[in-house]
Amino acid sequence: MEKILTNVRIIDPSQKIDEIGNIIIDEKGKIKSIGKKTKPSDASKKAEKIDLKGNIAIPGIVDMKAFVGEPGFEYKENFRTLSQAALAGGVTSIVTMPNTKPVIDNVSMVDFIIRRGRDKAKVNLYPCAAITRQLEGQQMSEFGLLKERGIIGFSDVNKTIQNTELMSRIMNYASDLDTLIMQHAEDYELAKNSCINEGEVATRLGLQGVSDIAERIIIERDLSLLSEFPCRYHINQISSKNSLKVIEKNKSNGIRFSTGVSINNLSLNENDIGEFRTFLKLSPPLRTEDDRLSLIDGIKKDLIDVIVSDHTPEDEESKRLPFAQAATGSIGIETLLPLSLELYHNKSLTLEKIIKCLTINPAKILKINKGTLKKGSDADICVFDLEEPWMVKAEELKSKSKNTAVENRKLQGKVKMTFLNGEVVYSN
Amino acid sequence: MATVKKVSAIKNNPKHLLGIQNLSIIEAKNILNEAKTFIKLNRSSSKKLDILRGKTQINLFFEPSTRTQSSFDLAGKRLGADVMSMNMGNSALKKGETLIDTAMTLNAMHPDIIVIRHQDSGAPNLLSQKVNCTVINAGDGRREHPTQALLDALTIINRKGNIEGLKIAICGDILHSRVARSNIYLMNMLGAEVNVIAPKTLMPVAVEKLGVKAFTDMKKGLDGCDIVMMLRLQNERMQGSFLPSKREYYEFFGLTPEKLKLAKKDALLMHPGPMNRGVEIDTKLADDINVSLVKEQVELGVAVRMACLKLYCK
């Protein structure tokens, strides 16, 4: 049945629109008509009418980095819980990471997760495969075969290809297949045993810190290689001001690549770790306030293209350990948009820019037909109240694991409704 | 009414000694004053009190220790507590038991105090969140060793009368040293001026922000100092190459009688032990009773730990 969404402010950076209007969704779940010129009378008489009460509608969010526990870590997260959390956060498309058990590095695993995801998840899933077999950084995965089976891109998640020769071959080989390579930038030797940013906080807490050089040196290396072997290259998450300088320089030299940042690095800094809050042990680590501000500036200058949740569910046992031994990562898919909106409310970024980094930019990098509400595209829509205040409570979040980095944070802006292919899949 | 409730809730929580960073100056001075009263007792022939009679103290040592463990052991016993020392080594870890599991097991036996040493920074903080008794930090990773700093302070006060206005040099492997960190906080708090001296690779990043002056040259760093604290080169914590050789280290950062002359005439020497003779300190100097306070540090350590046990167990 056709649907008409009325009384809605539509923000869609892919069409450069920010206007009050209506949206008509056809019976196939595609956008039939959208914008201020779309009138309720344009819809068929039988159309279901949904009043969005002046809330904002944006394209369903595309999250380029999330971990789903299946297979092997079902006790941390599964397809069902991940998709529930995603939809509650307005996320309709997820790039899932391959660091499962077994690792997603061969075609039979791809078939398994695509089938499993289709059956259990009510969200668009785009699985990533490992760049190297077993994430060991030694032997390339079967890029071609994996791509044919529906792999969207390749990532060794929080591991980095250390071997320069191998990295050059990966780029060289990937360029021919037009596959996306997503690198986590960290030099292992410089980052050895580290669990926090190097600086005063690390010195006081007595923890091994890692300097941002560890990140910068890999970015510098990869971008040098990229100038020789141009391929679709994406830096998963950057965390520091100095990395941005390298990115700026290379972009001005005409090197083509894209860059992501975790919402955590935009919303928190190393001081938030306090006395050993292991939920804030992240990779890349939280850095200084100066770094955080420069990352926001990087988004303003289009040096950073994508904001990701870096959703990393971990059970309590993995986190209730001394800081150095505790697992790395925090959940975040459900709070991705509300935390991003904080950057609007505190006047760091414009709404249009934030939404761009959450929708059309990742869709373009992934080369998928998402992140837009253009006529004819899938009606994946996130509807949110820009002003509604609420407080993050871990036990109310939908993820199976409760390791949020922003427990008790007061936020402004809440997802009210999520549409997937024109169907209401979440509302509150 | 609500505020009254809050106060009583805090009262019921056991107090912990996790680090000098968490101490107020009043609390620190309180411990030092209390410790003074035990010095004489420890030198007398009858050393036993019953202040902690009926209390149970568990020494939970995940890292090997001679002096700290025996010092806590004696301190507890002299106050009349039942003391149990557990050397965890790697045994618990090998069986897959986490720190929290161990803590919960011990907690079920209703101890009044747990004294913990652990190789991971922050382990005592974690423990303190999970048990119902007082937790005293006997050294965690490279973060803090509060009772060592307190006994160092007491030793200095015993000799110099006061800490305020003194100039103290801490020299050696600052990067890996919890003793250095606790001493920096405490000596600063008590009004001393602190210099740290180390090769660049053994100097923590942003150490100046802890309130010290950093030097790589002993000549400059020792100038005008009343106290020279030498630190042990912690080979077991060093992964990778920090120094070219021990010989080179001794040449530039080892304390010799000649280098000690760079400090004040009446400068005194301290070392938390155990010493690497010939690596960070000249062996004769270490034993020179005119300048070395090493034995006194060990002696007063018991008094300081008695004070901590007494004050924190109530």
Side-chain angles (χ1 to χ4, degrees):
Chain A
M1 194 166 59
E2 216 171 76
K3 288 191 184 72
I4 168 119
L5 317 183
T6 61
N7 194 13
V8 57
R9 176 178 167 194
I10 301 155
I11 305 181
D12 181 5
S14 75
Q15 307 179 70
K16 295 197 172 64
I17 60 171
D18 180 354
E19 60 198 30
I20 291 165
N22 301 294
I23 305 170
I24 299 174
I25 303 168
D26 70 19
E27 61 271 13
K28 285 180 188 149
K30 309 267 183 204
I31 303 283
K32 190 176 167 191
S33 174
I34 186 165
K36 60 185 173 193
K37 288 179 186 158
T38 301
K39 302 216 163 41
S41 55
D42 297 345
S44 71
K45 279 184 186 150
K46 281 189 248 161
E48 182 188 351
K49 196 173 163 188
I50 301 174
D51 182 358
L52 294 181
K53 297 168 190 158
N55 285 324
I56 297 177
I58 61 170
I61 292 166
V62 182
D63 187 356
M64 270 181 77
K65 191 166 185 252
F67 177 70
V68 51
E70 291 191 53
F73 300 98
E74 289 83 358
Y75 58 98
K76 293 180 181 175
E77 192 84 282
N78 60 39
F79 281 111
R80 190 176 52 82
T81 52
L82 177 72
S83 78
Q84 282 170 352
L87 295 174
V91 178
T92 53
S93 298
I94 308 173
V95 176
T96 61
M97 291 296 116
N99 52 334
T100 46
K101 203 158 76 185
V103 172
I104 297 164
D105 61 359
N106 62 73
V107 287
S108 62
M109 285 306 302
V110 178
D111 290 345
F112 168 79
I113 56 158
I114 287 179
R115 234 180 15 250
R116 185 88 186 137
R118 189 190 56 210
D119 294 346
K120 296 288 170 188
K122 247 193 254 170
V123 61
N124 305 306
L125 292 171
Y126 297 95
C128 243
I131 302 177
T132 58
R133 291 200 183 164
Q134 297 300 312
L135 306 164
E136 279 169 353
Q138 305 284 337
Q139 170 72 42
M140 261 187 256
S141 307
E142 296 162 322
F143 292 166
L145 291 173
L146 288 162
K147 196 185 175 197
E148 274 181 6
R149 292 298 176 105
I151 285 295
I152 189 96
F154 295 85
S155 166
D156 272 0
V157 199
N158 287 354
K159 293 191 172 181
T160 309
I161 312 294
Q162 299 293 316
N163 183 327
T164 309
E165 185 191 44
L166 177 64
M167 193 63 208
S168 70
R169 287 183 182 154
I170 286 167
M171 287 177 167
N172 202 0
Y173 192 83
S175 65
D176 186 46
L177 292 168
D178 192 36
T179 54
L180 179 65
I181 301 295
M182 301 195 269
Q183 174 83 294
H184 178 79
E186 184 176 81
D187 182 276
Y188 283 0
E189 291 299 326
L190 290 173
K192 211 179 208 169
N193 300 319
S194 69
C195 49
I196 183 173
N197 182 41
E198 186 176 85
E200 186 190 349
V201 175
T203 296
R204 278 187 186 277
L205 293 177
L207 296 171
Q208 176 71 46
V210 56
S211 155
D212 59 28
I213 302 170
E215 178 174 286
R216 198 174 77 207
I217 206 162
I218 293 291
I219 296 176
E220 279 177 332
R221 179 200 73 176
D222 281 5
L223 296 182
S224 296
L225 291 173
L226 197 62
S227 67
E228 293 296 315
F229 309 104
C231 74
R232 285 170 63 205
Y233 174 82
H234 177 76
I235 307 163
N236 258 342
Q237 286 157 268
I238 64 160
S239 64
S240 72
K241 188 180 186 171
N242 285 325
S243 297
L244 270 172
K245 285 184 191 159
V246 177
I247 286 166
E248 186 163 29
K249 196 180 89 195
N250 278 277
K251 286 221 166 170
S252 67
N253 286 345
I255 308 286
R256 289 177 60 123
F257 59 97
S258 55
T259 309
V261 65
S262 156
I263 186 63
N264 296 318
N265 291 87
L266 291 174
S267 315
L268 299 159
N269 66 35
E270 57 178 356
N271 295 312
D272 292 305
I273 292 166
E275 278 212 343
F276 304 101
R277 290 177 61 199
T278 56
F279 286 8
L280 280 79
K281 181 180 175 185
L282 305 170
S283 176
L286 297 173
R287 297 198 191 269
T288 63
E289 179 63 4
D290 192 36
D291 285 311
R292 189 187 75 87
L293 293 173
S294 71
L295 293 173
I296 290 170
D297 200 46
I299 291 181
K300 274 188 205 158
K301 290 183 182 160
D302 291 326
L303 297 172
I304 295 174
D305 310 278
V306 180
I307 303 173
V308 296
S309 70
D310 191 20
H311 182 78
T312 311
E314 285 295 345
D315 58 315
E316 214 180 322
E317 272 59 47
S318 317
K319 284 287 191 182
R320 255 186 6 175
L321 293 168
F323 201 89
Q325 291 176 33
T328 303
S330 81
I331 57 167
I333 204 162
E334 198 173 338
T335 47
L336 173 60
L337 177 66
L339 265 179
S340 301
L341 292 176
E342 192 181 66
L343 299 169
Y344 161 76
H345 288 296
N346 65 24
K347 300 189 169 53
S348 300
L349 291 170
T350 64
L351 212 45
E352 193 250 344
K353 188 67 113 187
I354 292 167
I355 292 160
K356 210 172 165 183
C357 291
L358 293 171
T359 58
I360 188 64
N361 281 2
K364 274 186 187 163
I365 292 166
L366 296 164
K367 296 196 175 175
I368 55 175
N369 192 16
K370 295 286 178 187
T372 177
L373 296 176
K374 268 186 194 147
K375 190 179 165 187
S377 52
D378 297 333
D380 295 350
I381 309 171
C382 161
V383 179
F384 64 92
D385 181 336
L386 183 60
E387 308 296 339
E388 187 178 325
W390 64 293
M391 186 149 81
V392 180
K393 288 279 169 207
E395 68 270 23
E396 287 168 15
L397 295 176
K398 305 233 170 350
S399 270
K400 203 163 187 178
S401 297
K402 306 296 178 192
N403 55 315
T404 170
V406 289
E407 171 78 343
N408 292 333
R409 187 138 167 161
K410 289 171 185 142
L411 296 175
Q412 198 180 349
K414 201 165 198 313
V415 175
K416 304 304 287 179
M417 219 179 228
T418 307
F419 291 80
L420 188 74
N421 293 318
E423 297 298 322
V424 179
V425 282
Y426 172 82
S427 74
N428 90 48
Chain B
M1 285 307 285
T3 51
V4 173
K5 253 187 179 173
K6 247 188 179 171
V7 169
S8 68
I10 289 168
K11 262 189 178 171
N12 289 336
N13 279 340
K15 276 182 73 185
H16 310 291
L17 178 59
L18 301 176
I20 303 292
Q21 282 181 101
N22 314 84
L23 281 188
S24 69
I25 186 160
I26 296 166
E27 288 169 309
K29 285 188 170 169
N30 216 2
I31 295 170
L32 293 171
N33 287 333
E34 191 69 44
K36 278 181 198 163
T37 67
F38 292 120
I39 300 176
K40 227 180 178 178
L41 176 90
N42 285 336
R43 287 176 184 165
S44 73
S45 58
S46 176
K47 305 179 179 68
K48 189 99 171 173
L49 296 176
D50 61 358
I51 296 169
L52 295 185
R53 191 171 60 193
K55 306 275 186 194
T56 305
Q57 172 190 338
I58 297 177
N59 295 336
L60 190 59
F61 278 62
F62 289 87
E63 253 184 2
S65 153
T66 326
R67 61 196 72 209
T68 306
Q69 189 173 347
S70 52
S71 186
F72 267 110
D73 205 21
L74 269 183
K77 283 175 179 159
R78 284 184 184 171
L79 292 174
D82 294 318
V83 185
M84 180 173 77
S85 284
M86 299 177 67
N87 288 310
M88 304 304 288
N90 290 323
S91 67
L93 228 70
K94 273 181 193 152
K95 289 178 195 161
E97 190 170 66
T98 65
L99 173 63
I100 295 300
D101 291 335
T102 310
M104 298 318 283
T105 307
L106 295 175
N107 196 43
M109 300 181 198
H110 302 292
D112 300 281
I113 313 165
I114 294 179
V115 177
I116 177 177
R117 162 162 298 188
H118 200 280
Q119 60 278 8
D120 282 321
S121 301
N125 305 56
L126 182 65
L127 185 73
S128 72
Q129 293 162 15
K130 307 291 173 187
V131 295
N132 304 322
C133 65
T134 296
V135 173
I136 292 181
N137 181 3
D140 64 324
R142 50 171 93 165
R143 179 175 157 270
E144 282 242 33
H145 192 351
T147 57
Q148 177 70 43
L150 287 161
L151 77 86
D152 288 340
L154 186 65
T155 309
I156 296 169
I157 291 168
N158 218 22
R159 279 294 184 104
K160 299 273 184 188
N162 206 344
I163 286 182
E164 202 171 341
L166 295 185
K167 199 164 168 185
I168 298 171
I170 306 176
C171 182
D173 182 1
I174 312 284
L175 179 67
H176 297 100
S177 175
R178 52 193 172 218
V179 176
R181 283 173 178 73
S182 285
N183 263 314
I184 288 169
Y185 305 133
L186 186 61
M187 299 307 160
N188 258 328
M189 189 195 285
L190 298 174
E193 194 182 316
V194 182
N195 287 353
V196 293
I197 310 165
K200 283 225 160 176
T201 47
L202 293 176
M203 190 77 92
V205 173
V207 71
E208 298 85 358
K209 293 201 173 152
L210 306 189
V212 298
K213 281 188 194 148
F215 296 89
T216 51
D217 181 351
M218 278 189 105
K219 264 185 212 151
K220 289 178 187 158
L222 290 178
D223 184 40
C225 284
D226 302 276
I227 302 285
V228 181
M229 249 181 228
M230 297 305 295
L231 298 173
R232 188 170 64 88
L233 206 54
Q234 303 203 31
N235 289 312
E236 75 277 13
R237 284 185 211 281
M238 290 194 197
Q239 278 155 337
S241 171
F242 285 86
L243 298 167
S245 70
K246 283 180 183 170
R247 189 172 68 174
E248 177 155 330
Y249 182 77
Y250 184 68
E251 178 68 26
F252 292 101
F253 296 94
L255 191 67
T256 55
E258 296 74 49
K259 281 194 202 138
L260 189 60
K261 280 180 193 150
L262 300 165
K264 270 192 187 163
K265 261 189 185 163
D266 58 348
L268 296 170
L269 159 69
M270 299 174 83
H271 195 298
M275 285 184 271
N276 297 315
R277 289 167 187 267
V279 177
E280 70 248 358
I281 194 161
D282 176 84
T283 184
K284 275 185 198 150
L285 196 57
D287 299 326
D288 183 349
I289 49 166
N290 293 316
V291 291
S292 171
L293 297 177
V294 174
K295 281 178 192 149
E296 212 165 316
Q297 285 174 275
V298 178
E299 185 201 349
L300 300 192
V302 181
V304 159
R305 281 156 189 143
M306 286 169 81
C308 292
L309 292 172
K310 181 187 168 188
L311 292 171
Y312 281 85
C313 192
K314 292 218 160 165

